[in-house]
Amino acid sequence: MTDNTSDGPMLAADGTPLKKSLARALRLQKMRALMLIAPLLLFVLFSFIIPIFSMLSRSVENSIVVETLPLTVTELQAWNADSGELPDEPVYAAFVADMVVAIDAKRHTRLGTRLNYEQTGMSSLFRKSGRKIKRMDPEADAPFKEKLIDVDKKWGDVETWRVIKTHSPTITNGYFLNAVDMRRTPEGAQSQPEDKQILVKLFGRTLIMSLIITGSCILLGYPVAWILANLPMRTANVLMILVLLPFWTSLLVRTSAWKVMLQQQGVINEVLVWLGMVADDSRLVMINNQTGTIIAMTHILLPFMILPMYSVMQTIQPTYLRAAKSMGATNWTAFWRVYFPLSIPGIGAGSILVFILAIGYYITPEIVGGTKGVFISNRIAYHISSSLNWGLAAALGTILLVVVLILYWAYDKIVGIDNVKLG
């Protein structure tokens, strides 16, 4: 390296300006670091981010109607859905032409399934009508209006065509409206019938029960973490095995064990009856309700609360309490004014971990919760695996994600995420 400060910039050994040489070296260092983590980034991108984004995009995607019935959708644009009159012959002719193509491609049943989410009976209507429409000739069998009505009377119902027109846009808010117990209609958003209003209730139940489970884990986990943190290291390590033991057992096995224990003829009720605390004809009902879900999930998620609190409590020096007592503080005052505030970061970390895990659980509520103790995640799983209404499942998942992010933001504003520690 040469010093040319009197005549110009300082030069590196190869004669290039030192500033430029350092910038190039730093850039190469960053590139090497990026290449090291590139495989992990690509793995996360293709196995996590892209699939989630693809799934969530289904909450607004609705191209199946216009792709299956392009001519019909075009003709329906000129039809006034509020007139109370059936569409004209061109709509029926376009529908038959579209259906003949869709039947050959076997897409009409998928369309019927999609519209069945909005109005019951549409799936069977498209399936049954498809067999008869397949034999029609779009060029020789006109007019089609009366023939379609003869195939099924629902083609003479204005509401059938209103549903097709209402849900023909490629981008829709219908799934999100359904997720909050509303529906998309030609007149705008309207509330679902009372017998179908369940999802908002499930959202509220999920949030409330997740908070109760988090609070229960704090009450049960704090004393355990305190004992572990204040015992000799050898003894604490032995007892820590008991805390970690549930991780070595299948979640399904643990949940099934609680189902056996919580029954009216289960272990807990039998012990209570034997102790005389409960009459034999008044056994506690702790299964297929919210109580069973809270008990089972508190047990399953308790280690996730104990471990962060224990790791933080280990860093609290015993000399702090001795100093407080030497200044006249009682045991309770020393704990409440000195020890507890120092352990709050561990409580915050455990609470975030347990709450986020609880809000997305569905196996345990499904097994022990019955109809009264299930979460919104159970409904999401149902629409993904059973009803195959992936659009509604994606909308429910998106809303749940937004709720968690809002609560996380509120926690950061009130407590401060920087104060959360894992040790």
Side-chain angles (χ1 to χ4, degrees), residues 29 39 57 67 103 215 372 411:
Q29 185 179 5
S57 66
E67 289 177 356
I103 292 168
K372 298 180 180 178
Y411 182 92

Side-chain angles (χ1 to χ4, degrees), residues 20-234:
K20 183 178 180 180
S21 179
L22 290 175
R24 183 174 57 193
L26 184 60
R27 187 165 57 253
L28 291 175
Q29 185 179 5
K30 290 181 178 180
M31 288 296 296
R32 284 194 295 267
L34 180 61
M35 292 300 294
L36 288 175
I37 64 172
L40 178 60
L41 291 178
L42 292 175
F43 175 78
V44 172
L45 178 65
F46 287 103
S47 66
F48 186 74
I49 296 178
I50 292 179
I52 289 181
F53 179 79
S54 176
M55 186 63 191
L56 295 182
S57 66
R58 291 176 178 268
S59 60
V60 295
E61 190 271 333
N62 188 51
S63 59
I64 186 172
V65 179
V66 70
E67 289 177 356
T68 308
L69 304 176
L71 301 177
T72 307
V73 170
T74 302
E75 292 293 339
L76 282 175
Q77 300 304 315
W79 174 60
N80 184 5
D82 298 326
S83 64
E85 299 179 357
L86 289 172
D88 295 329
E89 173 63 24
V91 174
Y92 284 86
F95 179 76
V96 171
D98 287 334
M99 280 291 289
V100 170
V101 175
I103 292 168
D104 290 338
K106 298 182 180 180
R107 292 200 309 264
H108 67 295
T109 53
R110 291 177 52 203
L111 175 60
T113 301
R114 164 66 187 97
L115 296 176
N116 198 70
Y117 300 148
E118 311 301 336
Q119 180 170 305
T120 304
M122 295 294 284
S123 179
S124 60
L125 173 63
F126 273 80
R127 186 173 59 255
K128 293 177 182 178
S129 300
R131 291 191 289 266
K132 298 180 180 179
I133 294 177
K134 185 178 182 179
R135 295 192 292 266
M136 293 185 181
D137 186 347
E139 298 180 358
D141 291 342
F144 296 100
K145 187 171 184 177
E146 296 298 330
K147 292 183 179 180
L148 269 180
I149 296 175
D150 290 338
V151 168
D152 196 298
K153 293 182 178 180
K154 290 184 179 179
W155 296 119
D157 187 354
V158 174
E159 191 61 30
T160 300
W161 297 101
R162 282 163 56 93
V163 169
I164 295 175
K165 181 176 181 178
T166 302
H167 299 283
S168 60
T170 55
I171 302 297
T172 180
N173 62 352
Y175 292 122
F176 280 102
L177 291 175
N178 292 341
V180 293
D181 291 333
M182 300 185 72
R183 56 181 175 173
R184 180 187 174 99
T185 67
E187 294 79 18
Q190 294 183 356
S191 298
Q192 292 275 18
E194 289 190 8
D195 59 337
K196 293 184 178 181
Q197 295 182 10
I198 186 176
L199 297 178
V200 173
K201 181 180 179 181
L202 283 179
F203 272 115
R205 178 193 296 172
T206 300
L207 293 175
I208 293 173
M209 290 182 64
S210 296
L211 289 173
I212 293 174
I213 292 167
T214 303
S216 301
C217 287
I218 293 174
L219 293 177
L220 295 175
Y222 195 94
V224 176
W226 183 86
I227 292 173
L228 292 173
N230 289 277
L231 284 174
M233 184 60 67
R234 177 175 296 181

Side-chain angles (χ1 to χ4, degrees), residues 388-407:
L388 302 182
N389 190 351
W390 288 12
L392 180 55
L396 292 171
T398 303
I399 293 175
L400 191 61
L401 176 62
V402 171
V403 169
V404 171
L405 292 177
I406 291 175
L407 292 175

Side-chain angles (χ1 to χ4, degrees), residues 124-401:
S124 60
L125 173 63
F126 273 80
R127 186 173 59 255
K128 293 177 182 178
S129 300
R131 291 191 289 266
K132 298 180 180 179
I133 294 177
K134 185 178 182 179
R135 295 192 292 266
M136 293 185 181
D137 186 347
E139 298 180 358
D141 291 342
F144 296 100
K145 187 171 184 177
E146 296 298 330
K147 292 183 179 180
L148 269 180
I149 296 175
D150 290 338
V151 168
D152 196 298
K153 293 182 178 180
K154 290 184 179 179
W155 296 119
D157 187 354
V158 174
E159 191 61 30
T160 300
W161 297 101
R162 282 163 56 93
V163 169
I164 295 175
K165 181 176 181 178
T166 302
H167 299 283
S168 60
T170 55
I171 302 297
T172 180
N173 62 352
Y175 292 122
F176 280 102
L177 291 175
N178 292 341
V180 293
D181 291 333
M182 300 185 72
R183 56 181 175 173
R184 180 187 174 99
T185 67
E187 294 79 18
Q190 294 183 356
S191 298
Q192 292 275 18
E194 289 190 8
D195 59 337
K196 293 184 178 181
Q197 295 182 10
I198 186 176
L199 297 178
V200 173
K201 181 180 179 181
L202 283 179
F203 272 115
R205 178 193 296 172
T206 300
L207 293 175
I208 293 173
M209 290 182 64
S210 296
L211 289 173
I212 293 174
I213 292 167
T214 303
S216 301
C217 287
I218 293 174
L219 293 177
L220 295 175
Y222 195 94
V224 176
W226 183 86
I227 292 173
L228 292 173
N230 289 277
L231 284 174
M233 184 60 67
R234 177 175 296 181
T235 306
N237 288 338
V238 173
L239 294 179
M240 181 59 69
I241 295 177
L242 300 179
V243 175
L244 299 176
L245 190 61
F247 290 125
W248 303 341
T249 308
S250 168
L251 172 63
L252 189 59
V253 172
R254 283 180 282 163
T255 304
S256 300
W258 275 112
K259 186 175 181 66
V260 174
M261 294 179 65
L262 294 174
Q263 291 178 357
Q264 287 190 294
Q265 303 299 325
V267 177
I268 296 177
N269 267 303
E270 290 291 346
V271 172
L272 293 176
V273 171
W274 179 71
L275 294 174
M277 300 176 64
V278 175
D280 189 41
D281 58 348
S282 302
R283 293 172 177 253
L284 301 178
V285 180
M286 296 180 291
I287 196 70
N288 296 331
N289 53 27
Q290 297 182 16
T291 302
T293 300
I294 292 172
I295 292 174
M297 288 188 61
T298 298
H299 166 256
I300 291 171
L301 297 177
L302 188 58
F304 295 99
M305 181 66 73
I306 293 175
L307 293 176
M309 290 195 295
Y310 169 68
S311 63
V312 171
M313 289 178 182
Q314 271 192 318
T315 64
I316 302 176
Q317 299 297 326
T319 54
Y320 296 161
L321 293 177
R322 290 199 293 267
K325 293 177 183 179
S326 68
M327 299 179 67
T330 63
N331 289 334
W332 169 251
T333 302
F335 168 79
W336 185 248
R337 299 291 297 274
V338 177
Y339 193 90
F340 182 76
L342 293 174
S343 66
I344 287 180
I347 297 176
S351 298
I352 291 176
L353 189 59
V354 169
F355 180 79
I356 292 178
L357 288 173
I359 207 172
Y361 251 59
Y362 72 94
I363 295 178
T364 302
E366 184 71 24
I367 295 177
V368 301
T371 58
K372 298 180 180 178
V374 295
F375 286 3
I376 192 65
S377 51
N378 296 96
R379 203 67 182 174
I380 295 175
Y382 166 76
H383 287 303
I384 288 178
S385 60
S386 298
S387 72
L388 302 182
N389 190 351
W390 288 12
L392 180 55
L396 292 171
T398 303
I399 293 175
L400 191 61
L401 176 62

